[in-house]
Structure formats: C-alpha cells, structure tokens
Amino acid sequence: MYKLIIFLQVIILIGSSISYQTDYVWYCRDDVYCLPLKNHNKQSTVQAYNNQNICRLMCGKFGGLWPKPTIKCNLEKSTVGVNAELIRFEYPQSDNGIREYLNEVSFLFLKNINDECGNICNSPSDTEMFIRLSISELSDLKFTHDTDESYQLNISTSDNKINVLISSKTVFGTRHGLETLSQLMVKIVDDKGRNGLVTVANAEISDKPYYRHRGLLLDTARHFIPIETILKILDGMSINKMNVFHWHITDSQSFPMEVSRVPQMHFNGAFSSDKVYSQSQINDIVKYAKYRGIRVIFELDAPAHAGHGWEWGNKEGLGNLAVCVDNQPWRKSCIQPNCGQLNPANENLYTVLRDIYQDIRDYKEKGEFFHMGGDEVFMACWNNTKEITDYMKSSGYELTTEGFLDFWSEFQSKALETYDSISDEKIPMIMWSSELTHPNNIEKYLPKNRYIIQTWLPDTSDIPEKLLNKGYRLIMSTKNAWYFDHGFWGITQYYNWKKVYANTLPRHQLVLGGEVCMWSEYCDEHSVEFKIFPRLNAAAERLWTNPTTDLKSAEPRFNRQRERIITRGIKTDAVYPEYCTLFEGECANY
C-alpha cells in the first residue's frame, strides 16, 4: 500500500540563477558542445534552443547529468514543461524514521528545482509531475560502507502528466535518484519574462556507483571552519553523489571537538571558546549529512599530530599525556609547527583515549569506520624524550628505527584494544600509509582483517599495488592529484579539474574508493569552498563512474555542474575565461 503525499506549493527561497545573453540561441555541435548562434534563421534546419542549459539537456547521451550514470542512460531529445506547484510524491508505507527521511529528501528535491527556477516559478503550465518512490528494503536507516546506493529512474509523459518512478533497494538510492531527476530539470523564461521548468519527456536511467567510498577530507583543526561553511560543503558533496565526509577534526594545532567525558581537551585545545564544535552541532552535522547521502567518518590523529589539548595531564596528576608540545626549533621535533606527539609510555594516556573514543562512538553511526590517523610519526621527538627512551629500554626496545616501530606498534595495539573495550562490535579501522604500513612492515604490525590503509602517495608509487597483493583494503588519496592544498605552499603544484578527473584508481576489489583532501593550513572559512569546488566535482565522477571516455565529452557537463552548484548557493572557483564556457570546445588544451 502507498500513501499519497501532495506538495501543492514550492517554498520560495532567496538565491540566484545563471542566465546568458537573450539575443543568442543555442545549438548542439557534434552531439557534444552547445554553442551560441546569433540571429538564427527560423527556417534553418539546425535545431535551436533558447538557452544553453536546455541545449545541454538535449546534447549528448548524458545531457547535463553529473556524474554520468554507469549502467543505462536513455534520454529522449524532447522536453516538456513542468508546473512546480503540481508535483506530487507517493511513498511506500514505512515506519516514522523512513517517512521522515523521505519527507526530507523530497523537500530538498523541491528546494533544488526551485533554485534552478530562480526561486520564483510563475510560468503557467497545466502539466503535473507524479513521483512514485519504490523502495524494496524498508527495515532501517542504517547507512554504512556496504549500503546499496543503486537506483533506477524512469520518466514517461502523456496527457499533460509526467510520471516518474524511482526504484531502489534503500532510501539512499532513492536520494540519488531524486538528485538525478533534479538535474534533468532546467529553467526556461517565457516571452513574458516568467520563469518555468522543463524536463525530458521520457527517460530510462539505471545507475550505481563504481566505488563504494567516495570522500572528501576536511581539516578543521589548522583553521576552524564554521558550521555554516561545513553544511555548504556537504550540500556541494550531495549534488555530486559523494558519500563520505572524512572529518579530520583535531590536530596538534587545535582540539576543537567537545568531549563531554574529558572537557579538558577542548577547554585547553580550542583556539577560543567560540571555536568549538559542540555535541549538538556535531550531531546536527551527522544528521544533515545523512539526509544528503553522506556518511561521517571521524579521525582522531595519533600518535603524532597531537599537541594542543593534551597539555593538562601534569596539572591533573596524570603525567605527560603528550611530549614535544610546542618544541622549538620545531624542525627537530615534528613535520610542521606546532609540535606534539602522544606519550605511549604513560598508561594514563589510554584512560583519556578511552573517554574520547566513547564520545566519538556516541557521535558516529553504529558500524561506521573510525580513522585512527597514524601519519608522520616523528621518531626524533620520542628519541629526544627521556621518559620515552627509558621506557623503551626497560621494555627491551632498541633505540633504532625498528625499535621505534615496535614501540609505535605497541601504542597502536593498546589504542585498538582501548576502542574495542567500549564497543560491542569490532569495526574496521582506517590508518594513513606510513612506515608502519610499508609493505615490508605491515604484516608484522597490522592485521588485514581490522585495518584499511588510506594511501597518500603519488601515482608513481608501487606501494598501493604491493599492499593490495598482500590482501589489504585501500582508500586512495593520490597525493599529486587529489591534495587540494597543493599549489599554495612550497614547491607543490596546483591540480586543475582536468588533472583531478584524469586520476585513475586501480580496478581492484580491495580498492574501496578514494578521497580528495582539503588540508587547511592555507585556507579558512573565506576561501575553503573555492579551493574545494569545482575540483571536487571532477573527483566525484571519477569515483562514481570511473569513466573511460576522455575529457572532451566531460567538459560541457562539467561546465553545467559548476553552474548548477552556483545556482544552489555553493561558492566555486572559475576554471577558465567565460568565453570558454559560452563557446564550448573552442578552448582545447587551455
């Protein structure tokens, strides 16, 4: 049984939309590019469209869809008007949690098409749209790495009625289907200057992601990123069907996460009292993300990248929880200022970790991965700390590279045991690639059934292949393509959207997917969106579709997606002169 939900009116929201010169019409060249045609002769045999985005909808196999579907995509080359006030939804019968989720994603769909329309859809039309949502698995709202995100979308038009069927196994596939439907709806302006919408008259789409893990890492420790900005970034991710928000929430520079069980962490570690993510805010972000088809993976980087927030141990009678904090000259104690590294020689450390882990457990979805960090451990810090070296000697560790790896491994084992002690399930743990995870060392220290390795290596490295051959699961963040902080410091190079798009991952069952990384040394709330977008769009199609086609066919759809995220209120950088957007295909190799 189904219950009919009727939306009689689209809520009007403040925003803006993209428009081009009205003295142009547009035509599709080579079934790829939409180009302007001035003073078009109506007797011409060339099919002309009154704006570039309608042309993009009609041009090419995938129209303006981003990322492009992976299984089937048949779009009829004709359009039909849509009355935004006559859109109705039919839901399957379900419990209140599922119903709430479907209400929310339906509202977001209406908001998105309203943004596309310019926030006032007043062009008259008697064509109604009826959207039926068919979901085969309605048992719960659990959203994990294994959740099925596939969907099928069918559109048919007859008798002034557009029938839409979105079929999926889970509500998360439904969400993706609604996102695709919204991308098939384009603004028009009638001869009286009124805004309206058109969509394709008929369509068949079958789609599922190539990679299960499609993520963005955001560092909120080196610069505090306000909640409002994080929500905007999540909006941009959802438009691109990215499904993992990797929250690098703490580092040696600051500890801005509220920990109810150990409030000393954020009291001592935040830049200021108003730069703390409260419990309610963190829970709101997790919920907000889930409505947009995004999982949140928390990272507590350790044992390195741990300074501010850990200094209070001596004062509270717990000893040194961290060492080398704020050491100068910093190059002798860490990779970058300010320094700080946990003190595994202090047993009290694990008591504190246990309390922090409990708070993180409460924040995150049950069954979700946890990221334990593990990158850039600086052996010289430990080697120059008498408390550490005395402990190592008494434990039989030599003060050599191998001895420090053994010591580090002891910390990692105890940290894992500590997490397991507060959890009723043994969830997979993620760690950054490091000396500990090197193919020559990893099997000695990290069992493959518990650890997923996130590699941050250049595309020339053979380490990922060697780890795959040993049976380890990987998440890949190709350093020389998907590090979005590069190009703004040192000798690093900026990677444009084409470089991001062209970065391929191994087609291997143990490669779970990848993440682009926005480290925040050189960005804050005023610049972070521009540095993420529109390059994240390019990574999104790589991870959803893993296309074999070239950039030529992707570029017009990429341009359309950039305009789309602007329309929905996301700040995004320009990628080339406006001429190259208007005259697609004329700026080859720009």
Side-chain angles (χ1 to χ4, degrees), residues 260-261 279 283 357-365:
S260 62
R261 294 170 174 87
Q279 285 183 295
N283 287 324
Y357 289 161
Q358 284 183 295
D359 268 42
I360 292 174
R361 178 206 60 191
D362 293 345
Y363 289 140
K364 73 181 190 65
E365 180 100 4

Side-chain angles (χ1 to χ4, degrees), residues 161-393:
K161 185 175 181 179
I162 305 168
N163 289 296
V164 179
L165 173 62
I166 298 176
S167 305
S168 61
K169 286 188 176 181
T170 70
V171 294
F172 305 101
T174 301
R175 193 223 74 87
H176 294 326
L178 285 169
E179 173 57 41
T180 296
L181 179 61
S182 74
Q183 293 187 12
L184 292 172
M185 303 178 78
V186 176
K187 174 185 173 181
I188 59 167
V189 181
D190 67 18
D191 55 5
K192 294 185 178 180
R194 296 171 298 192
N195 294 343
L197 292 168
V198 297
T199 188
V200 293
N202 295 281
E204 286 183 282
I205 294 174
S206 184
D207 198 10
K208 67 177 183 179
Y210 187 92
Y211 291 107
R212 289 176 287 172
H213 189 109
R214 309 179 304 280
L216 164 71
L217 173 146
L218 181 64
D219 168 14
T220 61
R222 292 179 174 93
H223 273 101
F224 181 84
I225 307 297
I227 294 294
E228 294 76 13
T229 304
I230 293 176
L231 298 183
K232 276 297 180 184
I233 291 169
L234 292 171
D235 288 340
M237 291 177 65
S238 72
I239 300 169
N240 287 284
K241 300 187 176 80
M242 296 286 270
N243 72 340
V244 173
F245 177 61
H246 173 172
W247 197 349
H248 185 89
I249 194 168
T250 68
D251 210 288
S252 59
Q253 289 86 355
S254 75
F255 197 108
M257 177 180 68
E258 180 179 1
V259 180
S260 62
R261 294 170 174 87
V262 198
Q264 296 94 325
M265 299 303 301
H266 59 276
F267 286 163
N268 290 278
F271 289 130
S272 62
S273 59
D274 62 341
K275 293 186 175 182
V276 175
Y277 301 108
S278 70
Q279 285 183 295
S280 62
Q281 289 174 326
I282 294 172
N283 287 324
D284 286 346
I285 285 175
V286 173
K287 185 176 182 179
Y288 190 93
K290 191 172 183 177
Y291 282 135
R292 286 151 183 80
I294 300 167
R295 298 153 43 210
V296 178
I297 294 179
F298 291 89
E299 179 186 353
L300 182 73
D301 208 348
H305 294 282
H308 287 181
W310 294 93
E311 319 97 307
W312 53 272
N314 271 322
K315 183 179 178 181
E316 299 279 345
L318 298 180
N320 292 316
L321 299 173
V323 296
C324 306
V325 179
D326 290 334
N327 272 13
Q328 291 290 349
W330 61 267
R331 288 187 182 275
K332 292 186 177 181
S333 298
C334 60
I335 299 296
Q336 64 177 204
N338 57 290
C339 296
Q341 204 152 284
L342 295 184
N343 179 12
N346 182 354
E347 286 297 320
N348 292 321
L349 170 65
Y350 301 100
T351 302
V352 176
L353 279 175
R354 185 178 189 276
D355 288 338
I356 298 172
Y357 289 161
Q358 284 183 295
D359 268 42
I360 292 174
R361 178 206 60 191
D362 293 345
Y363 289 140
K364 73 181 190 65
E365 180 100 4
K366 185 176 176 62
E368 184 56 86
F369 300 160
F370 175 53
H371 204 303
M372 303 187 81
D375 62 321
E376 297 182 325
V377 171
F378 208 77
M379 305 299 186
C381 164
W382 282 341
N383 197 31
N384 291 321
T385 303
K386 188 175 185 301
E387 184 179 353
I388 299 287
T389 55
D390 286 349
Y391 175 88
M392 290 179 64
K393 291 173 184 176

Side-chain angles (χ1 to χ4, degrees), residues 255-530:
F255 197 108
M257 177 180 68
E258 180 179 1
V259 180
S260 62
R261 294 170 174 87
V262 198
Q264 296 94 325
M265 299 303 301
H266 59 276
F267 286 163
N268 290 278
F271 289 130
S272 62
S273 59
D274 62 341
K275 293 186 175 182
V276 175
Y277 301 108
S278 70
Q279 285 183 295
S280 62
Q281 289 174 326
I282 294 172
N283 287 324
D284 286 346
I285 285 175
V286 173
K287 185 176 182 179
Y288 190 93
K290 191 172 183 177
Y291 282 135
R292 286 151 183 80
I294 300 167
R295 298 153 43 210
V296 178
I297 294 179
F298 291 89
E299 179 186 353
L300 182 73
D301 208 348
H305 294 282
H308 287 181
W310 294 93
E311 319 97 307
W312 53 272
N314 271 322
K315 183 179 178 181
E316 299 279 345
L318 298 180
N320 292 316
L321 299 173
V323 296
C324 306
V325 179
D326 290 334
N327 272 13
Q328 291 290 349
W330 61 267
R331 288 187 182 275
K332 292 186 177 181
S333 298
C334 60
I335 299 296
Q336 64 177 204
N338 57 290
C339 296
Q341 204 152 284
L342 295 184
N343 179 12
N346 182 354
E347 286 297 320
N348 292 321
L349 170 65
Y350 301 100
T351 302
V352 176
L353 279 175
R354 185 178 189 276
D355 288 338
I356 298 172
Y357 289 161
Q358 284 183 295
D359 268 42
I360 292 174
R361 178 206 60 191
D362 293 345
Y363 289 140
K364 73 181 190 65
E365 180 100 4
K366 185 176 176 62
E368 184 56 86
F369 300 160
F370 175 53
H371 204 303
M372 303 187 81
D375 62 321
E376 297 182 325
V377 171
F378 208 77
M379 305 299 186
C381 164
W382 282 341
N383 197 31
N384 291 321
T385 303
K386 188 175 185 301
E387 184 179 353
I388 299 287
T389 55
D390 286 349
Y391 175 88
M392 290 179 64
K393 291 173 184 176
S394 67
S395 301
Y397 297 130
E398 296 183 0
L399 302 184
T400 62
T401 298
E402 184 176 0
F404 280 107
L405 287 175
D406 291 339
F407 176 62
W408 178 3
S409 174
E410 177 189 313
F411 162 79
Q412 190 58 43
S413 295
K414 287 182 177 180
L416 181 62
E417 290 172 5
T418 300
Y419 191 95
D420 286 347
S421 72
I422 55 94
S423 177
D424 58 0
E425 55 184 355
K426 292 189 176 181
I427 61 172
M429 299 293 179
I430 306 174
M431 286 188 67
W432 291 107
S433 56
S434 65
E435 289 180 78
L436 202 67
T437 71
H438 190 279
N440 294 339
N441 303 324
I442 190 169
E443 290 177 306
K444 178 181 177 182
Y445 299 122
L446 302 173
K448 58 178 66 71
N449 66 319
R450 288 305 304 275
Y451 286 97
I452 298 165
I453 309 305
Q454 183 167 2
T455 59
W456 56 293
L457 300 162
D459 58 1
T460 54
S461 174
D462 63 354
I463 287 178
E465 181 181 358
K466 290 180 178 179
L467 291 174
L468 290 171
N469 289 339
K470 289 181 177 292
Y472 283 87
R473 293 166 290 175
L474 300 186
I475 297 166
M476 301 184 70
S477 296
T478 311
K479 191 175 184 179
N480 59 333
W482 286 1
Y483 263 43
F484 285 1
D485 60 311
H486 282 195
F488 301 99
W489 58 273
I491 59 172
T492 58
Q493 179 182 348
Y494 179 88
Y495 312 119
N496 64 21
W497 80 267
K498 294 182 179 181
K499 175 73 171 177
V500 173
Y501 189 89
N503 180 55
T504 58
L505 307 183
R507 293 173 178 262
H508 194 291
Q509 63 180 353
L510 293 178
V511 176
L512 306 186
E515 292 181 3
V516 296
C517 299
M518 188 68 259
W519 302 104
S520 67
E521 287 96 336
Y522 297 94
C523 69
D524 59 12
E525 63 185 286
H526 305 292
S527 59
V528 65
E529 288 178 65
F530 295 105

